Amino acid sequence: MAGEGAPTVKCLVWDLDDTVWDGVVLEGDDPVPFPHVPGVLRALDERGILHAVVSRGDHDVATAHLQAHGLEEWFCAARIGWGAKSAAISRIADALSIGLDTIAFIDNDPAERAEVAAALPAVRCYPAHVAADLPERPEFKPAHVTAEAAGRRQLYRTEWRRRRAEEESGGDRRTFLASLDLVMEVAPATEADLARASELTVRTHQLNSTGLTYDEDELRKLAASPDHEVRLARLTDRFGDYGIIGLAVTELTPDDAVLRLLLMSCRVASRGVGGLLLAHLVRQARAGGRRAVAHFLPTPVNRTMLVTLRFAGFTPTGEPTADGAPLVLAVPDDHPLPELAGPARLLIRDA
């Protein structure tokens, strides 16, 4: 089990037989869910914590049993079969675009927990008999619980359907992305958006330019300031709504539009929309007679963001001047305006 200071759990992965219900489906039982299970599923779901299944058995039989007892809708992903559970958990983490250190696993079998703990030491493992107590544990209590967090399950269930469709597409990624009919809307942050925007600064690490965090009051002041812009990006496709997936906090000076923070949700890392948002921000800066500037603070996991900045035309203006100082990048004035191209169609809303 992960030690003190581990991040809040984002997804609880459940075994089924003798963990969710009392018995083994494939042995001819008709097991009933343990009485505490629906309450635990609901309590964590309301906090934005996802549920998934990794279990041994037949996928169709197990899913039918979940549906028969009204539980299937709580789970956003499932890997049911006969392989190593650690491999199945890794695939779920990849599909949901979340780190293994934010996953917890609950199973009645100590051998299964030991296999997962040995292969995936970042995953926190719990015996089935503590399930009822999980909502009271600090690692299952997010610091921010927003209206969107309570609906996160539906977003990820939709994402799971996208993943299944991608697996069935035969690996032609460009054709698959084109088939999604992606639309990204960029608009100023409103009062209703501030909680989700603040949550993004805390939750997003890989596609994050500086790692700065803002609470709701700070974002409210920045959004109201004539010297700043706080813009949010939303994404939809033919499967449904991804919700708010991007945030840009820009400081406006007489000469420069300085990106103090740019982040994109890891859920859309594979959609290729980060470059489209940056292209829009560069063009917006130029339209206002300013140079597009960005700050970047490297972390062990955000190199992809630096690559995205460089592809958008941002070039380092020098080395950081002190320990902990950001790298400053700018798009040269003679650099061609970036094209608003990519797999998504861009919609701009100014108010």
Side-chain angles (χ1 to χ4, degrees), residues 323-339:
D323 289 343
L327 176 66
V328 179
L329 305 99
V331 179
D333 291 336
D334 58 355
H335 191 279
L337 277 175
E339 297 292 329

Side-chain angles (χ1 to χ4, degrees), residues 38-276:
V40 174
L41 290 168
R42 182 179 297 104
L44 299 185
D45 180 79
E46 289 173 350
R47 300 173 193 178
I49 295 174
L50 306 172
H51 297 288
V53 169
V54 166
S55 188
R56 301 205 177 279
D58 179 274
H59 182 277
D60 292 342
V61 172
T63 300
H65 199 72
L66 284 168
Q67 290 172 338
H69 289 280
L71 297 182
E72 190 273 338
E73 66 177 281
W74 294 107
F75 297 96
C76 66
R79 294 285 182 185
I80 302 170
W82 302 105
K85 289 190 176 180
S86 59
I89 290 172
S90 292
R91 293 181 70 185
I92 283 178
D94 179 64
L96 300 180
S97 297
I98 59 177
L100 289 167
D101 62 345
T102 66
I103 287 183
F105 174 58
I106 185 163
D107 195 309
N108 69 293
D109 190 333
E112 299 284 18
R113 298 197 304 272
E115 187 274 328
V116 170
L120 306 174
V123 173
R124 282 161 277 190
C125 298
Y126 300 87
H129 68 82
V130 306
D133 300 326
L134 294 183
E136 301 307 313
R137 292 177 177 252
E139 63 267 34
F140 290 89
K141 294 182 178 181
H144 300 270
V145 178
T146 67
E148 185 170 279
R152 185 167 289 127
R153 166 172 44 102
Q154 294 302 331
L155 294 176
Y156 278 87
R157 282 175 64 88
T158 301
E159 181 60 22
W160 187 252
R161 292 196 294 272
R162 293 185 185 104
R163 288 287 181 145
R164 297 297 291 270
E166 184 174 4
E167 290 175 1
E168 295 167 2
S169 70
D172 187 340
R173 179 138 195 87
R174 182 172 295 182
T175 300
F176 171 70
L177 288 177
S179 76
L180 289 176
D181 298 327
L182 289 159
V183 177
M184 185 168 70
E185 178 186 276
V186 179
T190 67
E191 180 65 29
D193 300 324
L194 296 180
R196 170 57 177 160
S198 175
E199 181 188 43
L200 266 179
T201 70
V202 175
R203 293 175 61 92
T204 303
H205 305 290
Q206 294 177 346
L207 296 176
N208 190 318
S209 61
T210 57
L212 295 174
T213 61
Y214 296 97
D215 63 27
E216 290 182 50
D217 286 340
E218 290 171 322
L219 287 172
R220 185 176 293 109
K221 290 176 183 177
L222 290 172
S225 166
D227 298 326
H228 292 84
E229 291 179 340
V230 179
R231 293 189 174 266
L232 296 175
R234 292 173 170 83
L235 192 67
T236 61
D237 67 11
R238 64 183 174 90
F239 287 97
D241 190 358
Y242 294 78
I244 295 172
I245 51 84
L247 169 67
V249 178
T250 305
E251 180 184 0
L252 303 177
T253 74
D255 299 318
D256 295 334
V258 184
L259 268 174
R260 298 291 184 183
L261 173 66
L262 176 70
L263 60 82
M264 301 289 289
S265 170
C266 297
R267 291 188 294 114
V268 298
S270 63
R271 296 296 181 257
V273 294
L276 180 60

Side-chain angles (χ1 to χ4, degrees), residues 249-309:
V249 178
T250 305
E251 180 184 0
L252 303 177
T253 74
D255 299 318
D256 295 334
V258 184
L259 268 174
R260 298 291 184 183
L261 173 66
L262 176 70
L263 60 82
M264 301 289 289
S265 170
C266 297
R267 291 188 294 114
V268 298
S270 63
R271 296 296 181 257
V273 294
L276 180 60
L277 177 58
L278 267 174
H280 165 64
L281 294 171
V282 171
R283 294 172 74 95
Q284 184 182 48
R286 288 273 187 90
R290 295 180 175 92
R291 183 180 62 154
V293 176
H295 288 183
F296 178 79
L297 276 172
T299 73
V301 296
N302 73 343
R303 179 168 174 77
T304 300
M305 178 57 80
L306 179 59
V307 173
T308 304
L309 287 164

